[in-house]
Amino acid sequence: MGGRGRGRGPEPGSCQRWLHRNRSGVGFSLLALAYLLYLSCGALLFSSLELPYEDSLRRELRQLKSQFVLDNPCLAPDTLERFLARVLEANNYGVSVLNNSSGKWNWDFTSSLFFAATVLTTTGYGHTVPLSDGGKAFCIIYSVIGIPFTLLFFTSLVQRVMALVTRRPIHYIHTRWGYRKQSVALVHAVLLGLLLVLCFFVIPAAIFTQLERDWSFLESIYFCFISLSTIGLGDYVPGEVQHQRLRKLYKFGITIYLMIGLTAVLVVLETFCELNKLKELKRIFYLKKDKPEDEIKILDHDQLSFPSVVDSVPFGREQHKLSEPFVSGLKAHPFTEDPSNR
């Protein structure tokens, strides 16, 4: 009788136990598959939307070129090809041969400040690039030092802004009126997100629509999103139109907008990331770390959030209370001194 059970399948519940033990790995595998699927679907949709327009534009340019050659028989086609290639190469460096751009300089101080900001925030529109070998070498060195410096600066800035606009209001409402901390945090995050959309997307888009003659409201919203998400495609760059009024002041204002807007986006994202539900969701895909008991208190914060980078720095008791994550119903255990340390 004992030999008959050896050829049977796995015991009931063994699959559940295996899934429970490898929950993080299975979750990450599903996450990777979902990401690849999302990436492939995006490529298919972009191709179906943009390929017909690209094909139409190519045919139009061929027709214009053929008509130009017919209208100017004295111009050799090879000469025209070399001229167009040189013009396109210069245009990739932000230099145009058109008469309406003769008074526009790409490397005055305000334009260079705008370029430096896009480099350090990794937005990188690509409309202006270094022309000289010295400029390219300096850009590498400047970025190697400046990008980590910018990350450190924004990390410290976001941690301080979070204490003022997120943790203090939530702590005040929770202690004053007794609402659940998680409910207050969720409502606060939604309101903060709506305020971000209004102040850094809708209102700036309306302003760009008035200042940029060829931009629609959708294109202005598109520019704001592409910029503040640091994608920086470079197809829309403000301050590049003919005879732009107060161009230097305009470029400086856009630089300030990008810096403040990026800070606001990071604050809102970090506010959502500190919600307890999102923390539980992240734990499904992250590796479970075995921490010694004496480090549990120190490393209690999520290691991939902005505040967790700076929370390890000692600061005052009140500041520490405001930096706690939005977890309600948990009480801290009193600290007892180890007799061996006396």
Side-chain angles (χ1 to χ4, degrees), residues 93-109:
Y93 287 96
V95 179
S96 176
V97 296
L98 300 178
N99 292 330
N100 57 19
S101 61
S102 58
K104 184 187 67 172
W105 294 93
N106 294 319
W107 293 103
D108 54 13
F109 178 77

Side-chain angles (χ1 to χ4, degrees), residues 211 213 241-250:
L211 296 178
R213 300 176 184 176
V241 298
Q242 179 183 4
H243 305 304
Q244 178 73 55
R245 296 178 58 186
L246 302 175
R247 183 174 183 268
K248 293 183 178 180
L249 182 62
Y250 186 33

Side-chain angles (χ1 to χ4, degrees), residues 57-123:
L57 187 60
R58 285 177 181 273
R59 290 198 304 267
E60 181 183 355
L61 288 176
R62 291 193 190 99
Q63 292 176 359
L64 288 174
K65 179 184 174 184
S66 300
Q67 187 63 39
F68 182 81
V69 172
L70 291 176
D71 295 339
N72 299 272
C74 59
L75 182 63
D78 293 340
T79 304
L80 178 62
E81 287 284 343
R82 289 194 298 269
F83 174 74
L84 292 177
R86 183 56 179 163
V87 168
L88 293 175
E89 181 183 1
N91 187 70
N92 290 334
Y93 287 96
V95 179
S96 176
V97 296
L98 300 178
N99 292 330
N100 57 19
S101 61
S102 58
K104 184 187 67 172
W105 294 93
N106 294 319
W107 293 103
D108 54 13
F109 178 77
T110 52
S111 299
S112 299
L113 181 66
F114 180 69
F115 171 78
T118 59
V119 168
L120 295 185
T121 58
T122 66
T123 304

Side-chain angles (χ1 to χ4, degrees), residues 20-210:
H20 181 74
R21 288 196 306 267
N22 299 276
R23 182 175 54 182
S24 176
V26 173
F28 178 75
S29 300
L30 294 176
L31 180 66
L33 289 175
Y35 182 75
L36 292 175
L37 180 62
Y38 187 78
L39 189 66
S40 302
C41 289
L44 289 174
L45 286 174
F46 278 126
S47 179
S48 61
L49 290 172
E50 297 297 327
L51 192 59
Y53 183 79
E54 180 188 2
D55 183 61
S56 175
L57 187 60
R58 285 177 181 273
R59 290 198 304 267
E60 181 183 355
L61 288 176
R62 291 193 190 99
Q63 292 176 359
L64 288 174
K65 179 184 174 184
S66 300
Q67 187 63 39
F68 182 81
V69 172
L70 291 176
D71 295 339
N72 299 272
C74 59
L75 182 63
D78 293 340
T79 304
L80 178 62
E81 287 284 343
R82 289 194 298 269
F83 174 74
L84 292 177
R86 183 56 179 163
V87 168
L88 293 175
E89 181 183 1
N91 187 70
N92 290 334
Y93 287 96
V95 179
S96 176
V97 296
L98 300 178
N99 292 330
N100 57 19
S101 61
S102 58
K104 184 187 67 172
W105 294 93
N106 294 319
W107 293 103
D108 54 13
F109 178 77
T110 52
S111 299
S112 299
L113 181 66
F114 180 69
F115 171 78
T118 59
V119 168
L120 295 185
T121 58
T122 66
T123 304
Y125 294 112
H127 71 294
T128 301
V129 293
L131 301 174
S132 63
D133 292 338
K136 295 172 183 176
F138 175 73
C139 185
I140 295 174
I141 300 172
Y142 185 72
S143 302
V144 168
I145 300 174
I147 291 176
F149 189 20
T150 303
L151 179 61
L152 175 64
F153 169 72
F154 275 109
T155 300
S156 303
L157 179 61
V158 167
Q159 190 264 347
R160 284 161 174 77
V161 175
M162 285 280 293
L164 294 175
V165 304
T166 297
R167 297 193 179 98
R168 284 184 187 274
I170 292 174
H171 180 72
Y172 177 79
I173 296 174
H174 171 66
T175 55
R176 180 67 181 271
W177 287 290
Y179 292 107
R180 291 182 65 251
K181 209 168 191 179
Q182 279 299 312
S183 301
V184 176
L186 179 60
V187 173
H188 179 269
V190 172
L191 292 178
L192 206 62
L194 293 176
L195 186 63
L196 171 73
V197 172
L198 177 64
C199 295
F200 291 95
F201 289 92
V202 177
I203 294 177
I207 296 174
F208 283 128
T209 304
Q210 298 298 320

Side-chain angles (χ1 to χ4, degrees), residues 251-280:
K251 283 284 188 181
F252 181 75
I254 295 169
T255 305
I256 300 299
Y257 161 73
L258 291 177
M259 292 300 213
I260 298 177
L262 183 57
T263 303
V265 169
L266 291 175
V267 168
V268 172
L269 289 177
E270 187 60 25
T271 300
F272 276 95
C273 286
E274 287 203 349
L275 295 176
N276 194 36
K277 293 296 183 182
L278 289 181
K279 285 181 175 290
E280 292 176 357

